Amino acid sequence: MKLVQTFGPKPDESALGYYRRLSASNSLWNWRELARMAQVSPSRTGILGRPDYMAQVLGIDPAWTAQASLREDSARQWRGLHRSAHDAVCPECIKESAHLRAHWEHAYAVACSHHRIQLVDRCSACTEMLSSSRERIEQCQCGQDLRQLPVAPATKAQLWLAGLLASEGTTTMGVEPQVEGVPIAALSKLVRTLCLLAEPDAPNPRRNAAAPQAVQEAVEFLGPVDDLLSDWPVGFEAHVSERIAAGDAQARTLNSLLGRWYQQLKAVCAVGPLQPFMACVMKVAASEFDGILGLDAAGSVAGESNSHMLLKQAAKQLGVSRDRLLSLVAANQLQHRTRRFGTRGVAYEIPISEVDRIHAARVRWVSEATACEALGVPPAVLAQMVAANLLMADPGWRADILKSGPVEGQSMERLATVLKSHQRKTSEGGERIALKEFTSRRMGDKKAIQAALQAILRGGIACIGGAEKVGGLQYRLSDVRQHFSTPILESGLSVHQLAKLTGWKWESVSYWIDEGLLDSVPVVLRGQPCRVVLPEHLIKFHSTYVPLTTLAHSLNARSSELLERLGGIETLGGKPLASGAVRGALVRLSDLAQAALLPGLREKTSAA
């Protein structure tokens, strides 16, 4: 048998509704007659269970029958919520297209989300239910045009359910609470829990109480959902508050406080797209229940809605030990609240805002290792930078919960900015030294290092070589040396040491240095300025000058007598005294060499 009129199913058409439309278009009495003509059982299983055979017998596209069978398989997953004994329709939708929408067969579908009206399953003329075996979809068996049936406006909860059922859980059509990707099975369990256990002290309902067949029965059954969703989330939160107040005052967990209602709600709302319902429960429980939250399957939701966290969790987030926080709680130095835990115990919870405040303060302080890595200096140099007040540090940081290390991170950033601002370009040569090399082992005592560091901070010693990190910044060694003493003293002689070693008057040595005849290195020794003559300075001096006293001593004569015999040889470097005499005069070696070659001077010297 081949049908005269053939067409494919609509995208939203019910499986049996497709065959019913085929039957009506080919002037058959109903779909059962179509099944008998195809020689299959006149039942839903018979006509929808063999899609390939039905396509062959009826002469239609196998893809059409396969689509209808897949739609039926989806509807079968509704189990007892599949409305199959009669039809529920939207008169306005039938006006637009006379086909049965698949979601109308769900027992909780009582409204049309598109036209925002309730579905109709009873004829206004004959008052009978709309039979699923009637000849035409748009007419009752009594002949009443279903497109003219009176309708009633749908409630918010009815539209919310209708939107999810029509879109297969994809959207609520803008109705609150807005959820996406909801499995129809999970949605059905949520509705069943909210309706059957609406009263805290309600007895256990019968098994089939959650499967109304008629639209009016479903409207009455869904009444509690209307109340809960009419003003979302205020209405639902108020309901949770009532349940908490009606629960056992001695309960220590939400499972025992809210009982079966909470346990069933948690099964479908703890994870997944229906979490907004569980979030409301946890939000109210956090403020009105004095037990511990988040120790069951709803832990992730509790963490999002709770304003406090367990002491152990706070310690882990802050990177400190639980005992340390516990000692602060015991000393009442940390905001907290007490919660009942277990059968007799108590637990402490810390406000999340307090944890965030402490964490924000702790991240501003860093450990010595982190500071050394960031600055590019060894620990010894870091210690000198702290002692010189280049960095803000707290040696007693361990006693302060607001600090995670001894060095303030922002002070390192400020220091880097200041030191790099003192950098200047130069093409001058000379030995350089990096800041990371400012160690007492190499450069001198700690006070001198600190003095040099402070001079660098003030800009007294300019940076002449840039680097990415502070430790790599370079400075002229001659500029830095004036602040160091010990290494220079070990390799040279102070003015007094040189005078004692050579027999020269220290006033003469100091005068020679002032006049630029003898080189030296200025240093600071025990807070006082000091000049050190290095070996290379002394060698240069000896190769150029000879003190008159040294020359006279070698001739076993007095300096004044030798001065008269030198004749025209020039002396220099002598310090004038108040009496008019000169002390510490020097003679150039070159002048002596030239004079030695003059005959007159040789004879005069021999006669003497």
Side-chain angles (χ1 to χ4, degrees):
M1 150 205 163
K2 303 293 183 182
L3 296 178
V4 177
Q5 298 287 337
T6 61
F7 42 78
K10 302 284 187 180
D12 61 346
E13 191 170 14
S14 71
L16 189 59
Y18 168 61
Y19 285 101
R20 290 172 61 180
R21 195 157 57 91
L22 278 176
S23 300
S25 297
N26 287 273
S27 301
L28 299 178
W29 177 249
N30 56 35
W31 65 273
R32 297 184 191 278
E33 183 179 356
L34 179 66
R36 285 191 290 268
M37 291 179 61
Q39 297 182 353
V40 297
S41 172
S43 62
R44 295 181 71 101
T45 303
I47 200 170
L48 293 167
R50 301 170 63 187
D52 293 338
Y53 173 77
M54 292 298 295
Q56 181 180 2
V57 171
L58 301 179
I60 58 179
D61 191 339
W64 298 345
T65 57
Q67 180 179 343
S69 294
L70 288 175
R71 179 73 69 178
E72 179 67 8
D73 292 340
S74 178
R76 284 175 181 171
Q77 297 178 6
W78 301 342
R79 299 182 181 277
L81 298 178
H82 189 190
R83 183 189 290 134
S84 58
H86 62 278
D87 293 336
V89 301
C90 170
E92 296 298 324
C93 288
I94 296 298
K95 286 181 183 179
E96 297 173 0
S97 177
H99 71 275
L100 295 173
R101 278 60 170 176
H103 67 279
W104 289 348
E105 294 183 355
H106 197 286
Y108 295 159
V110 297
C112 172
S113 58
H114 178 61
H115 297 102
R116 309 183 73 83
I117 58 176
Q118 290 186 3
L119 301 183
V120 179
D121 64 349
R122 188 180 295 274
C123 177
S124 60
C126 65
T127 69
E128 296 293 331
M129 304 293 288
L130 300 180
S131 173
S132 60
S133 300
R134 64 187 186 277
E135 181 180 0
R136 301 182 63 84
I137 291 174
E138 68 274 17
Q139 286 185 351
C140 177
Q141 288 179 316
C142 70
Q144 172 66 42
D145 189 344
L146 301 184
R147 293 169 293 191
Q148 305 301 322
L149 293 179
V151 295
T155 64
K156 181 178 178 180
Q158 292 169 358
L159 293 174
W160 182 77
L161 273 173
L164 289 172
L165 293 172
S167 64
E168 297 184 351
T170 303
T171 177
T172 61
M173 305 295 184
V175 182
E176 293 289 342
Q178 297 190 34
V179 292
E180 298 178 353
V182 181
I184 299 302
L187 176 66
S188 301
K189 291 179 181 179
L190 171 65
V191 172
R192 181 178 60 193
T193 299
L194 297 180
C195 294
L196 292 182
L197 304 178
E199 298 297 331
D201 55 351
N204 292 335
R206 64 181 189 277
R207 298 185 62 180
N208 63 347
Q213 290 299 310
V215 170
Q216 185 57 39
E217 292 178 3
V219 168
E220 295 175 358
F221 174 77
L222 296 174
V225 180
D226 278 331
D227 297 334
L228 298 178
L229 302 187
S230 60
D231 185 17
W232 177 267
V234 176
F236 188 77
E237 291 177 355
H239 177 70
V240 175
S241 181
E242 292 174 0
R243 300 190 78 96
I244 291 177
D248 183 4
Q250 301 302 317
R252 288 177 172 262
T253 65
L254 283 181
N255 280 325
S256 57
L257 178 68
L258 300 179
R260 186 179 178 187
W261 179 85
Y262 171 74
Q263 296 166 18
Q264 293 186 3
L265 198 69
K266 180 173 58 177
V268 294
C269 300
V271 294
L274 293 176
Q275 274 192 350
F277 288 89
M278 185 56 61
C280 287
V281 175
M282 291 301 173
K283 178 182 178 181
V284 177
S287 60
E288 299 184 11
F289 177 54
D290 60 353
I292 296 295
L293 303 179
L295 299 181
D296 53 13
S300 60
V301 184
E304 296 175 0
S305 60
N306 201 353
S307 60
H308 289 65
M309 65 173 59
L310 289 171
L311 188 72
K312 182 178 180 180
Q313 297 173 336
K316 183 178 180 180
Q317 182 168 328
L318 294 175
V320 299
S321 67
R322 177 184 177 277
D323 291 341
R324 184 177 181 185
L325 290 188
L326 187 60
S327 63
L328 293 176
V329 168
N332 203 27
Q333 297 178 358
L334 186 64
Q335 296 183 34
H336 65 281
R337 71 181 183 185
T338 304
R339 284 289 184 264
R340 291 183 295 169
F341 179 69
T343 56
R344 296 182 180 180
V346 295
Y348 298 105
E349 289 186 337
I350 311 300
I352 294 177
S353 59
E354 179 71 0
V355 176
D356 292 340
R357 182 186 70 85
I358 296 175
H359 183 267
R362 288 178 62 84
V363 297
R364 292 197 292 266
W365 293 78
V366 299
S367 64
E368 290 183 357
T370 302
C372 289
E373 175 64 24
L375 295 173
V377 298
V381 175
L382 177 68
Q384 298 303 326
M385 295 172 72
V386 171
N389 295 322
L390 269 68
L391 298 173
M392 181 175 292
D394 182 6
W397 65 274
R398 296 183 185 278
D400 191 346
I401 190 63
L402 299 179
K403 298 175 182 176
S404 60
V407 182
E408 186 192 37
Q410 292 182 350
S411 67
M412 296 192 300
E413 298 176 2
R414 292 194 298 267
L415 177 64
T417 302
V418 171
L419 295 189
K420 291 180 180 180
S421 68
H422 293 158
Q423 182 178 349
R424 61 181 176 86
K425 295 182 179 180
T426 179
S427 58
E428 300 177 6
E431 190 176 354
R432 299 182 178 187
I433 183 173
L435 190 66
K436 61 184 176 182
E437 298 174 319
F438 281 34
T439 59
S440 57
R441 182 176 181 181
R442 176 176 179 179
M443 301 303 298
D445 58 78
K446 295 180 179 180
K447 290 184 177 179
I449 294 177
Q450 295 168 21
L453 290 173
Q454 290 172 351
I456 289 175
L457 180 64
R458 295 191 303 268
I461 302 178
C463 173
I464 59 174
E468 181 180 353
K469 295 184 178 181
V470 168
L473 298 178
Q474 296 181 340
Y475 300 87
R476 185 178 288 106
L477 183 58
S478 58
D479 294 339
V480 176
R481 270 180 172 172
Q482 59 180 317
H483 296 277
F484 294 88
S485 56
T486 303
I488 299 178
L489 282 174
E490 291 176 353
S491 60
L493 298 170
S494 66
V495 172
H496 287 274
Q497 289 173 334
L498 181 60
K500 183 177 181 181
L501 181 64
T502 60
W504 301 335
K505 298 293 184 180
W506 72 268
E507 297 95 334
S508 299
V509 175
S510 178
Y511 187 73
W512 296 339
I513 293 175
D514 293 338
E515 292 297 311
L517 302 174
L518 176 60
D519 293 335
S520 66
V521 176
V523 297
V524 178
L525 181 62
R526 291 184 290 275
Q528 298 297 324
C530 177
R531 290 173 291 186
V532 177
V533 179
L534 299 177
E536 57 266 30
H537 299 154
L538 194 57
I539 292 173
K540 179 181 178 182
F541 178 78
H542 272 306
S543 64
T544 307
Y545 308 105
V546 57
L548 189 61
T549 55
T550 302
L551 189 60
H553 182 71
S554 65
L555 297 175
N556 196 21
R558 292 184 300 174
S559 299
S560 57
E561 295 177 357
L562 184 59
L563 184 61
E564 295 176 357
R565 296 177 183 179
L566 289 178
I569 296 179
E570 180 186 4
T571 61
L572 65 161
K575 181 179 181 181
L577 301 178
S579 61
V582 175
R583 175 179 295 172
L586 300 175
V587 178
R588 289 190 181 93
L589 289 175
S590 59
D591 292 345
L592 287 177
Q594 291 178 2
L597 299 177
L598 297 177
L601 181 61
R602 286 200 304 269
E603 294 175 358
K604 188 175 180 179
T605 303
S606 299

